Amino acid sequence: MAQNMPKAAPKPCNYPGCGVLVRDGSSRCSKHQREAWAKPTTATKRVTGRRLQTMRAALFSSNPLCVECERLGRVTLATQRDHIRPLAEGGTDDDSNVQGLCHACHEAKSLAESKRGRQRAQWGAQ
């Protein structure tokens, strides 16, 4: 087998307006490479380990139901410790900024937060 075989079939660079064929299996040509993601130095440090488990247990014992489902008249157990105002948007990791959500409500809220984050990044890059 030849050593100079391409890794993938050539396809156009996915940078808007660029049609250069990319032959290395990536999605961008050498002119339009994405910068590697790095956590911002200003990012809030997350609570982990035993301290987080203790905080989760306290939250679920004091309010075992999903607050969003309760608001909608449903009764569902909370399974996720959620930041009301996300840490990425300036929220804190204290008891006044956390709530219990079920998996489905947490997933929906996280998707909306992720979309806002992508929009912030897009507007910030322009």
Side-chain angles (χ1 to χ4, degrees):
M1 193 163 172
Q3 295 213 355
N4 293 349
M5 294 282 297
K7 293 180 182 177
K11 58 185 174 185
C13 171
N14 70 4
Y15 185 83
C18 181
V20 173
L21 288 179
V22 178
R23 292 171 168 39
D24 64 0
S26 69
S27 59
R28 298 258 178 129
C29 68
S30 59
K31 184 178 175 184
H32 298 114
Q33 291 297 311
R34 287 191 171 110
E35 289 185 31
W37 183 86
K39 185 183 249 185
T41 55
T42 57
T44 304
K45 175 136 174 50
R46 293 185 169 268
V47 176
T48 58
R50 290 183 193 264
R51 183 169 169 229
L52 175 60
Q53 295 308 316
T54 303
M55 293 165 85
R56 283 174 48 86
L59 173 66
F60 296 147
S61 355
S62 66
N63 189 1
L65 300 178
C66 170
V67 297
E68 184 62 19
C69 285
E70 277 188 300
R71 190 179 70 75
L72 298 171
R74 300 186 303 236
V75 177
T76 312
L77 280 177
T79 58
Q80 306 288 319
R81 179 179 180 266
D82 176 69
H83 292 95
I84 298 166
R85 182 172 181 199
L87 298 178
E89 295 177 9
T92 60
D93 212 355
D94 58 42
D95 291 342
S96 66
N97 190 45
V98 293
Q99 63 186 352
L101 294 178
C102 67
H103 178 75
C105 289
H106 186 261
E107 192 72 17
K109 184 173 180 277
S110 294
L111 285 172
E113 291 167 358
S114 177
K115 184 178 179 183
R116 282 196 313 267
R118 286 191 305 273
Q119 288 172 338
R120 275 194 312 274
Q122 182 181 17
W123 288 108
Q126 293 181 350

